[in-house]
């Protein structure tokens, strides 16, 4: 039996995590952070981090305490991430916490940012504040898996997304892919675009589907905050593709021998063209991830097609898979599969999915799980 006090802490920290997730779609590449200030059962203040450059969650929660005419003296602060101790775009949270009279901190995880990385906890302890770390750590790590991976490895967390028929096809033999899944699935998949800062497709997908790859089709006037990325070794991206016509940033990764005239044309249309080295004859996607990481992209969504998915999977570059399976059969030996490439020779080479979860979405199933080490 766990003590009541631990269950109480878990409830409060759970609330901080829920608050943190309200920053999805705006906080990145900063972490999703929520904070709750409580004395026993009474919540004195709370808040979350909205966007880069704005106040940290802890500061928002402490200001909330003051606005409510309360004091944090002797109270506990619950937060999913270690409070910062550095001067960034905002002052160090540990100073504000110490000034407020908070006597105890319950935090879910350490901040992987090298500027913090344990120094925040140390600073709090040295000021006599009791610090407890690790409750709900798994949930907290998962919520900020993009921020953690970017800080530790300098590359974004990669999610592969696919929509396929019951027999694993993403397009008919004539290349038609609209709409294998229903509108419910498309609405659900749009949430994934909100969670990610960049979306990537292969050039074959652009040529076949002419997607917009934007974040909010409901508001076409605003430029998309989503960075749209195309892997296109010989720069075949058509000048009149929707991707280019819709406002918002577009990056194209190409090979060093791509035609210079195509490069100049695309650049004149506002597209950023980036040369990548080759790896075993194909564009080096690891280099692509490093480039995106250096740009501050913490979460990348890969939306196909089959060859692009295969390249990410074969090189172990994907962390998570989200798959929508529609209850219809396309058939056809030439119909395109979800994953192309050469595929596994023997079943022992198959790529396993771990921590698999599934849910009903409209008339389809969503299956998701972890790939690689993530
Ligand atoms: C946030 N929000 O609620 C917390 C953060 O550029 P700055 O000054 O906003 O600092 C960003 C860093 O601060 C961030 O990478 C993380 O290490 C730490 N904590 N950041 O944006 C917050 N608590
Ligand atoms: Zn801070």
């Amino acid at each position: 039996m766990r003590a009541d006090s631990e269950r109480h802490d878990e409830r409060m920290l759970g609330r901080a995590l829920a608050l943190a997730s309200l920053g999805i779609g705006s906080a990145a590449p900063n972490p999703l952070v929520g904070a709750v200030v409580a004395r026993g059962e009474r919540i004195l203040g709370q808040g979350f981090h909205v966007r880069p450059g704005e106040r940290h969650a802890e500061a928002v929660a402490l200001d909330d305490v003051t606005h409510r005419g309360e004091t944090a003296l002797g109270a506990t602060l619950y937060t999913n991430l270690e409070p910062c101790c550095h001067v960034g775009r905002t002052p160090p949270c540990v100073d504000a916490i110490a000034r407020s009279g908070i006597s105890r901190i319950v935090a879910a995880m350490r901040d992987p940012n090298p500027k913090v990385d344990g120094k925040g906890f140390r600073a709090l302890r040295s000021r006599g504040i009791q610090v407890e770390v690790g409750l709900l750590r798994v949930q907290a790590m998962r919520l900020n898996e993009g921020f953690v991976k970017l800080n530790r490895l300098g590359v974004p967390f990669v999610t592969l997304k696919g929509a396929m028929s019951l027999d694993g096809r993403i397009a008919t033999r004539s290349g038609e892919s609209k709409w294998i899944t229903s509108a419910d699935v498309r609405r659900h998949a749009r949430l994934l675009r909100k969670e990610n800062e960049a979306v990537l497709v292969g050039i074959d997908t652009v040529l076949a589907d002419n997607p917009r790859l934007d974040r909010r089709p409901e508001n076409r006037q605003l430029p998309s905050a989503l960075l749209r990325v195309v892997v296109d070794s010989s720069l075949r991206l058509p000048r009149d593709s929707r991707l280019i016509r819709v406002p918002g940033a577009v990056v194209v990764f190409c090979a060093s021998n791509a035609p210079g005239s195509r490069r100049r044309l695309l650049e004149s249309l506002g597209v950023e063209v980036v040369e990548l080295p080759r790896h075993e004859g194909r564009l080096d996607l690891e280099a692509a991830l490093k480039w995106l990481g250096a740009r501050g992209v913490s979460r990348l969504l890969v939306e196909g097609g089959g060859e692009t998915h295969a390249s990410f999977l074969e090189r172990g570059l994907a962390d998570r898979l989200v798959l929508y399976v529609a209850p219809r059969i396309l058939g056809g030996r030439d119909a395109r599969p979800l994953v192309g490439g050469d595929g596994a020779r023997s079943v022992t080479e198959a790529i396993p999915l771990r921590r698999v979860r599934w849910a009903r979405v409209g008339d389809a199933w969503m299956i998701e799980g972890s790939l690689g080490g993530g």
Side-chain angles (χ1 to χ4, degrees):
M1 265 282 283
R2 283 188 311 158
D4 279 354
S5 62
E6 190 180 333
R7 247 179 277 135
H8 166 77
D9 284 347
E10 198 172 296
R11 238 186 1 261
M12 291 294 176
L13 195 52
R15 190 183 178 99
L17 271 164
L19 283 163
S21 69
L22 297 175
I24 291 177
S26 64
N30 273 5
L32 295 165
V33 189
V36 173
V37 178
R39 193 180 292 114
E41 289 297 327
R42 262 191 83 216
I43 291 174
L44 307 169
Q46 59 185 16
F48 68 98
H49 180 64
V50 179
R51 63 176 57 83
E54 293 189 9
R55 282 175 307 161
H56 289 183
E58 303 91 316
V60 178
L62 289 170
D63 286 351
D64 190 34
V65 174
T66 312
H67 286 148
R68 295 192 200 190
E70 301 275 0
T71 160
L73 207 64
T76 301
L77 181 118
Y78 296 87
T79 176
N80 57 304
L81 189 73
E82 173 181 5
C84 70
C85 50
H86 68 292
V87 179
R89 281 169 283 196
T90 65
C93 288
V94 293
D95 293 348
I97 292 167
R99 265 199 316 272
S100 74
I102 291 270
S103 60
R104 177 175 171 250
I105 305 271
V106 177
M109 62 180 271
R110 190 174 168 132
D111 183 347
N113 179 350
K115 285 186 202 145
V116 187
D117 200 16
K119 293 190 271 293
F121 290 140
R122 239 175 287 142
L124 290 165
R125 286 193 179 109
S126 76
R127 292 176 202 202
I129 296 169
Q130 187 189 337
V131 178
E132 289 162 40
V133 188
L135 195 63
L136 300 185
R137 186 171 180 277
V138 173
Q139 291 90 326
M141 290 286 282
R142 204 163 294 160
L143 184 71
N144 273 312
E145 55 205 350
F147 177 73
V148 170
K149 192 169 176 204
L150 182 61
N151 270 282
R152 291 218 177 118
L153 305 173
V155 292
F157 184 91
V158 178
T159 301
L160 298 194
K161 181 226 136 181
M164 65 178 203
S165 63
L166 208 48
D167 53 331
R169 308 291 205 260
I170 56 168
T172 64
R173 69 191 149 94
S174 62
E176 197 187 317
S177 64
K178 282 177 183 164
W179 304 102
I180 293 176
T181 49
S182 64
D184 292 316
V185 166
R186 292 198 294 282
R187 215 169 301 123
H188 197 268
R190 241 179 264 142
L191 290 177
L192 283 175
R193 292 214 182 139
K194 195 173 167 194
E195 281 174 13
N196 287 273
E197 300 129 76
V199 58
L200 178 149
V201 292
I203 182 63
D204 289 337
T205 296
V206 178
L207 297 177
D209 300 346
N210 196 12
R212 317 163 58 94
L213 298 180
D214 54 359
R215 208 179 234 172
R216 18 175 143 76
E218 64 276 10
N219 191 346
R220 298 195 170 154
Q221 309 329 317
L222 285 174
S224 175
L226 192 64
L227 179 65
R228 290 154 313 145
V229 185
V230 184
V231 178
D232 179 12
S233 35
S234 49
L235 293 179
R236 290 183 293 152
L237 182 65
R239 58 178 306 160
D240 58 352
S241 50
R242 287 207 189 107
L243 201 65
I244 295 180
R245 291 214 315 262
V246 169
V250 178
V251 171
V252 176
F253 288 123
C254 70
S256 56
N257 60 352
S261 58
R262 294 288 310 159
R263 180 179 183 137
R264 284 187 292 279
L265 171 75
L266 291 173
E267 283 174 342
S268 76
L269 296 168
V271 173
E272 187 168 358
V273 180
V274 180
E275 276 178 23
L276 288 186
R278 283 192 188 270
H279 176 89
E280 291 168 3
R282 287 178 152 183
L283 286 189
D284 185 353
L285 291 177
E286 218 164 323
L289 292 182
K290 283 192 185 130
W291 189 91
L292 290 168
R295 262 294 171 93
V297 173
S298 71
R299 300 189 69 129
L300 172 70
L301 185 66
V302 177
E303 293 204 22
E307 294 305 317
T308 303
H309 280 158
S311 305
F312 275 89
L313 286 170
E314 281 164 12
R315 300 203 50 202
L317 299 176
D319 300 289
R320 176 177 174 228
L321 176 73
V322 177
L323 191 57
Y324 298 95
V325 185
R328 49 189 67 86
I329 294 167
L330 281 182
R333 71 182 65 81
D334 296 327
R336 273 190 255 147
L338 174 77
V339 181
D342 293 331
R345 200 183 309 261
S346 93
V347 178
T348 55
E349 287 172 18
I351 299 163
L353 203 59
R354 290 178 298 109
R355 294 203 300 266
V356 182
R357 194 177 74 86
W358 66 272
R360 201 67 203 250
V361 178
D363 69 349
W365 294 271
M366 182 205 64
I367 300 171
E368 72 166 326
S370 301
L371 295 156

